[in-house]
Amino acid sequence: DDDAKVVVLVEDLIKGNGGYFETANLYSRELTPGSNEREMVSINTESLSNFGKIFLAHEFQHLISFNQKDLLRNTSEDVWFNELRSEYANTVIGYNDSFQNSNLNRRLDTFLTEPSDSLVEWPNVILDYSHVALFAEYIAEQFGPQIISETIRNDLVGIDSINQFLRSNGRSERFSNIFGNWLIANYLNDSSSDSRYGYRRNELKNLRITPRQYSLPYPGKYELNHDLKPWQGSWHKLNLYSMPEGKALKISFNSRDGF
């Protein structure tokens, strides 16, 4: 709108709510009654003394995303990818440079409490933010921050926009490959033999998922039933203590949708 000013409204919100971005304010009152007709974000009063700048960066990205996707391209970003960008905004600005007590530090701690969660499902709990924050760090390390910034400037959203970025940059990988490699990195976290299977940031190099453990007898048959949501990781370790040399383990998958 050729106005460089952005309004920051400081108000009392419910405890634990750091701030929010209201899309209605970017429309005229004729279209949206109650609109403030401002490019604005809101920050909770209680967060000003500690995490105010973190929430401001987070919500400011939502303002950018709404302009790029909804207003300029008449589309709406997938929630998980929009939140991923807002989490990564703090890394872009430098608020995660000092890792101790940073937003990324807190996200990592939460992620480790429950690493098996759908990346794209969004019930809007703190665990969701932790997963997209770690995935953002991973893809930015692998493909550069451009995979986050350039996907905001195309007509596609979510996974489709990532695949479009990969195609336009001559990459053979697709989102499914990246997601699978991220799951491996969260378990192995060792990039010495393959850069895809680990994090580069020093504070993330100790991240290692502890898989579920199973002890399998020999001879015998073991059946494991496990349901996963779309784009949810799960790690399982099969311990074979008594298998004779020269014998093999056969694994068969039975899935409605294929494996």
PDB file of all heavy atoms in Angstrom, residues 14 26 30 32 42 57 85 102 112 129 133 136 157 172 183 195 201 212 221 234 246:
ATOM      1  N   ILE A  14      -4.804 -13.763  26.667  1.00  0.00           N
ATOM      2  CA  ILE A  14      -4.821 -14.849  27.633  1.00  0.00           C
ATOM      3  C   ILE A  14      -3.396 -15.329  27.866  1.00  0.00           C
ATOM      4  O   ILE A  14      -2.544 -15.262  26.981  1.00  0.00           O
ATOM      5  CB  ILE A  14      -5.719 -16.015  27.167  1.00  0.00           C
ATOM      6  CG1 ILE A  14      -5.211 -16.599  25.841  1.00  0.00           C
ATOM      7  CG2 ILE A  14      -7.163 -15.571  27.036  1.00  0.00           C
ATOM      8  CD1 ILE A  14      -5.959 -17.833  25.407  1.00  0.00           C
ATOM      9  N   LEU A  26      -6.218  -6.251   6.979  1.00  0.00           N
ATOM     10  CA  LEU A  26      -5.646  -5.872   5.686  1.00  0.00           C
ATOM     11  C   LEU A  26      -6.711  -5.654   4.614  1.00  0.00           C
ATOM     12  O   LEU A  26      -6.386  -5.382   3.456  1.00  0.00           O
ATOM     13  CB  LEU A  26      -4.634  -6.914   5.216  1.00  0.00           C
ATOM     14  CG  LEU A  26      -3.215  -6.686   5.752  1.00  0.00           C
ATOM     15  CD1 LEU A  26      -3.121  -7.108   7.215  1.00  0.00           C
ATOM     16  CD2 LEU A  26      -2.192  -7.416   4.912  1.00  0.00           C
ATOM     17  N   GLU A  30     -15.385  -1.920   4.125  1.00  0.00           N
ATOM     18  CA  GLU A  30     -16.490  -2.305   3.256  1.00  0.00           C
ATOM     19  C   GLU A  30     -16.518  -3.817   3.055  1.00  0.00           C
ATOM     20  O   GLU A  30     -17.582  -4.438   2.991  1.00  0.00           O
ATOM     21  CB  GLU A  30     -16.375  -1.610   1.895  1.00  0.00           C
ATOM     22  CG  GLU A  30     -16.703  -0.116   1.922  1.00  0.00           C
ATOM     23  CD  GLU A  30     -15.593   0.709   2.545  1.00  0.00           C
ATOM     24  OE1 GLU A  30     -14.458   0.199   2.652  1.00  0.00           O
ATOM     25  OE2 GLU A  30     -15.862   1.859   2.946  1.00  0.00           O
ATOM     26  N   THR A  32     -14.683  -6.046   5.143  1.00  0.00           N
ATOM     27  CA  THR A  32     -14.603  -6.701   6.449  1.00  0.00           C
ATOM     28  C   THR A  32     -14.926  -5.694   7.539  1.00  0.00           C
ATOM     29  O   THR A  32     -14.051  -4.945   7.989  1.00  0.00           O
ATOM     30  CB  THR A  32     -13.192  -7.289   6.686  1.00  0.00           C
ATOM     31  OG1 THR A  32     -12.823  -8.102   5.580  1.00  0.00           O
ATOM     32  CG2 THR A  32     -13.169  -8.127   7.968  1.00  0.00           C
ATOM     33  N   SER A  42      -0.378  -8.077  16.661  1.00  0.00           N
ATOM     34  CA  SER A  42      -0.645  -7.859  18.073  1.00  0.00           C
ATOM     35  C   SER A  42       0.295  -8.700  18.918  1.00  0.00           C
ATOM     36  O   SER A  42       0.552  -9.871  18.599  1.00  0.00           O
ATOM     37  CB  SER A  42      -2.102  -8.212  18.407  1.00  0.00           C
ATOM     38  OG  SER A  42      -2.994  -7.391  17.680  1.00  0.00           O
ATOM     39  N   ALA A  57       8.684 -11.189  15.583  1.00  0.00           N
ATOM     40  CA  ALA A  57       9.242 -11.744  14.346  1.00  0.00           C
ATOM     41  C   ALA A  57       8.321 -12.814  13.767  1.00  0.00           C
ATOM     42  O   ALA A  57       8.105 -12.885  12.554  1.00  0.00           O
ATOM     43  CB  ALA A  57      10.624 -12.334  14.631  1.00  0.00           C
ATOM     44  N   ARG A  85       7.715 -21.039   8.378  1.00  0.00           N
ATOM     45  CA  ARG A  85       8.410 -19.801   8.026  1.00  0.00           C
ATOM     46  C   ARG A  85       8.510 -18.866   9.219  1.00  0.00           C
ATOM     47  O   ARG A  85       9.529 -18.200   9.423  1.00  0.00           O
ATOM     48  CB  ARG A  85       7.699 -19.096   6.870  1.00  0.00           C
ATOM     49  CG  ARG A  85       7.836 -19.788   5.529  1.00  0.00           C
ATOM     50  CD  ARG A  85       7.467 -18.851   4.391  1.00  0.00           C
ATOM     51  NE  ARG A  85       7.450 -19.562   3.115  1.00  0.00           N
ATOM     52  CZ  ARG A  85       6.356 -20.089   2.575  1.00  0.00           C
ATOM     53  NH1 ARG A  85       5.188 -19.967   3.191  1.00  0.00           N
ATOM     54  NH2 ARG A  85       6.420 -20.722   1.431  1.00  0.00           N
ATOM     55  N   SER A 102      17.272 -19.883  23.678  1.00  0.00           N
ATOM     56  CA  SER A 102      16.664 -19.313  22.475  1.00  0.00           C
ATOM     57  C   SER A 102      15.353 -20.030  22.164  1.00  0.00           C
ATOM     58  O   SER A 102      15.037 -21.074  22.744  1.00  0.00           O
ATOM     59  CB  SER A 102      17.609 -19.440  21.280  1.00  0.00           C
ATOM     60  OG  SER A 102      17.770 -20.816  20.923  1.00  0.00           O
ATOM     61  N   LEU A 112      12.102 -33.335  21.417  1.00  0.00           N
ATOM     62  CA  LEU A 112      12.667 -34.573  21.942  1.00  0.00           C
ATOM     63  C   LEU A 112      11.714 -35.295  22.885  1.00  0.00           C
ATOM     64  O   LEU A 112      11.869 -36.496  23.109  1.00  0.00           O
ATOM     65  CB  LEU A 112      13.994 -34.280  22.658  1.00  0.00           C
ATOM     66  CG  LEU A 112      15.143 -33.861  21.738  1.00  0.00           C
ATOM     67  CD1 LEU A 112      16.357 -33.444  22.549  1.00  0.00           C
ATOM     68  CD2 LEU A 112      15.502 -34.980  20.769  1.00  0.00           C
ATOM     69  N   TYR A 129       4.723 -26.701  16.637  1.00  0.00           N
ATOM     70  CA  TYR A 129       5.717 -25.673  16.347  1.00  0.00           C
ATOM     71  C   TYR A 129       7.140 -26.234  16.431  1.00  0.00           C
ATOM     72  O   TYR A 129       8.027 -25.824  15.676  1.00  0.00           O
ATOM     73  CB  TYR A 129       5.553 -24.501  17.320  1.00  0.00           C
ATOM     74  CG  TYR A 129       4.275 -23.738  17.134  1.00  0.00           C
ATOM     75  CD1 TYR A 129       3.126 -24.064  17.853  1.00  0.00           C
ATOM     76  CD2 TYR A 129       4.194 -22.672  16.232  1.00  0.00           C
ATOM     77  CE1 TYR A 129       1.940 -23.369  17.678  1.00  0.00           C
ATOM     78  CE2 TYR A 129       3.022 -21.959  16.056  1.00  0.00           C
ATOM     79  CZ  TYR A 129       1.893 -22.313  16.777  1.00  0.00           C
ATOM     80  OH  TYR A 129       0.722 -21.620  16.599  1.00  0.00           O
ATOM     81  N   ALA A 133       9.831 -26.229  13.338  1.00  0.00           N
ATOM     82  CA  ALA A 133      11.058 -25.476  13.599  1.00  0.00           C
ATOM     83  C   ALA A 133      12.291 -26.304  13.258  1.00  0.00           C
ATOM     84  O   ALA A 133      13.229 -25.813  12.617  1.00  0.00           O
ATOM     85  CB  ALA A 133      11.109 -25.026  15.062  1.00  0.00           C
ATOM     86  N   ALA A 136      12.483 -26.882   9.485  1.00  0.00           N
ATOM     87  CA  ALA A 136      12.948 -25.666   8.819  1.00  0.00           C
ATOM     88  C   ALA A 136      14.465 -25.564   8.860  1.00  0.00           C
ATOM     89  O   ALA A 136      15.113 -25.234   7.856  1.00  0.00           O
ATOM     90  CB  ALA A 136      12.316 -24.433   9.468  1.00  0.00           C
ATOM     91  N   VAL A 157       1.244 -23.974  -2.696  1.00  0.00           N
ATOM     92  CA  VAL A 157       1.353 -23.927  -1.233  1.00  0.00           C
ATOM     93  C   VAL A 157       1.884 -25.263  -0.727  1.00  0.00           C
ATOM     94  O   VAL A 157       1.796 -26.294  -1.393  1.00  0.00           O
ATOM     95  CB  VAL A 157      -0.011 -23.623  -0.569  1.00  0.00           C
ATOM     96  CG1 VAL A 157      -0.534 -22.265  -1.017  1.00  0.00           C
ATOM     97  CG2 VAL A 157      -1.030 -24.718  -0.882  1.00  0.00           C
ATOM     98  N   SER A 172      16.656 -33.198  -8.247  1.00  0.00           N
ATOM     99  CA  SER A 172      15.907 -34.431  -8.508  1.00  0.00           C
ATOM    100  C   SER A 172      15.060 -34.855  -7.315  1.00  0.00           C
ATOM    101  O   SER A 172      14.126 -35.635  -7.457  1.00  0.00           O
ATOM    102  CB  SER A 172      16.872 -35.560  -8.875  1.00  0.00           C
ATOM    103  OG  SER A 172      17.779 -35.813  -7.806  1.00  0.00           O
ATOM    104  N   LEU A 183      14.028 -37.855   8.618  1.00  0.00           N
ATOM    105  CA  LEU A 183      13.804 -38.880   9.637  1.00  0.00           C
ATOM    106  C   LEU A 183      15.097 -39.641   9.926  1.00  0.00           C
ATOM    107  O   LEU A 183      15.396 -39.963  11.076  1.00  0.00           O
ATOM    108  CB  LEU A 183      12.714 -39.850   9.192  1.00  0.00           C
ATOM    109  CG  LEU A 183      11.313 -39.278   8.938  1.00  0.00           C
ATOM    110  CD1 LEU A 183      10.323 -40.410   8.695  1.00  0.00           C
ATOM    111  CD2 LEU A 183      10.851 -38.406  10.092  1.00  0.00           C
ATOM    112  N   SER A 195      25.838 -35.903   3.687  1.00  0.00           N
ATOM    113  CA  SER A 195      25.389 -34.651   4.310  1.00  0.00           C
ATOM    114  C   SER A 195      23.884 -34.622   4.554  1.00  0.00           C
ATOM    115  O   SER A 195      23.396 -33.810   5.335  1.00  0.00           O
ATOM    116  CB  SER A 195      25.790 -33.454   3.438  1.00  0.00           C
ATOM    117  OG  SER A 195      25.184 -33.545   2.149  1.00  0.00           O
ATOM    118  N   ARG A 201      24.430 -27.485  12.214  1.00  0.00           N
ATOM    119  CA  ARG A 201      24.560 -26.594  13.370  1.00  0.00           C
ATOM    120  C   ARG A 201      25.058 -27.384  14.569  1.00  0.00           C
ATOM    121  O   ARG A 201      24.528 -28.441  14.909  1.00  0.00           O
ATOM    122  CB  ARG A 201      23.226 -25.924  13.674  1.00  0.00           C
ATOM    123  CG  ARG A 201      23.300 -25.015  14.881  1.00  0.00           C
ATOM    124  CD  ARG A 201      22.137 -24.080  14.992  1.00  0.00           C
ATOM    125  NE  ARG A 201      22.305 -23.238  16.158  1.00  0.00           N
ATOM    126  CZ  ARG A 201      21.736 -22.048  16.323  1.00  0.00           C
ATOM    127  NH1 ARG A 201      20.965 -21.559  15.368  1.00  0.00           N
ATOM    128  NH2 ARG A 201      21.950 -21.349  17.415  1.00  0.00           N
ATOM    129  N   ARG A 212      12.010 -47.237  19.358  1.00  0.00           N
ATOM    130  CA  ARG A 212      11.386 -48.303  20.126  1.00  0.00           C
ATOM    131  C   ARG A 212      12.184 -49.588  19.932  1.00  0.00           C
ATOM    132  O   ARG A 212      12.609 -49.897  18.829  1.00  0.00           O
ATOM    133  CB  ARG A 212       9.939 -48.517  19.670  1.00  0.00           C
ATOM    134  CG  ARG A 212       9.041 -47.311  19.881  1.00  0.00           C
ATOM    135  CD  ARG A 212       7.597 -47.651  19.562  1.00  0.00           C
ATOM    136  NE  ARG A 212       6.729 -46.499  19.691  1.00  0.00           N
ATOM    137  CZ  ARG A 212       5.406 -46.548  19.620  1.00  0.00           C
ATOM    138  NH1 ARG A 212       4.807 -47.715  19.408  1.00  0.00           N
ATOM    139  NH2 ARG A 212       4.678 -45.457  19.737  1.00  0.00           N
ATOM    140  N   LYS A 221       8.429 -65.810  14.540  1.00  0.00           N
ATOM    141  CA  LYS A 221       7.753 -64.808  13.719  1.00  0.00           C
ATOM    142  C   LYS A 221       7.222 -63.720  14.637  1.00  0.00           C
ATOM    143  O   LYS A 221       6.672 -64.005  15.704  1.00  0.00           O
ATOM    144  CB  LYS A 221       6.610 -65.447  12.931  1.00  0.00           C
ATOM    145  CG  LYS A 221       5.860 -64.479  12.019  1.00  0.00           C
ATOM    146  CD  LYS A 221       4.757 -65.216  11.249  1.00  0.00           C
ATOM    147  CE  LYS A 221       3.994 -64.269  10.328  1.00  0.00           C
ATOM    148  NZ  LYS A 221       2.930 -64.975   9.575  1.00  0.00           N
ATOM    149  N   SER A 234       8.401 -42.449  12.604  1.00  0.00           N
ATOM    150  CA  SER A 234       8.408 -43.417  13.702  1.00  0.00           C
ATOM    151  C   SER A 234       9.656 -44.270  13.557  1.00  0.00           C
ATOM    152  O   SER A 234      10.008 -44.672  12.443  1.00  0.00           O
ATOM    153  CB  SER A 234       7.142 -44.276  13.673  1.00  0.00           C
ATOM    154  OG  SER A 234       7.049 -45.086  14.825  1.00  0.00           O
ATOM    155  N   GLY A 246      24.717 -66.691   8.819  1.00  0.00           N
ATOM    156  CA  GLY A 246      24.259 -67.216   7.541  1.00  0.00           C
ATOM    157  C   GLY A 246      22.761 -67.189   7.364  1.00  0.00           C
ATOM    158  O   GLY A 246      22.255 -67.466   6.273  1.00  0.00           O
TER     159      GLY A 246
END
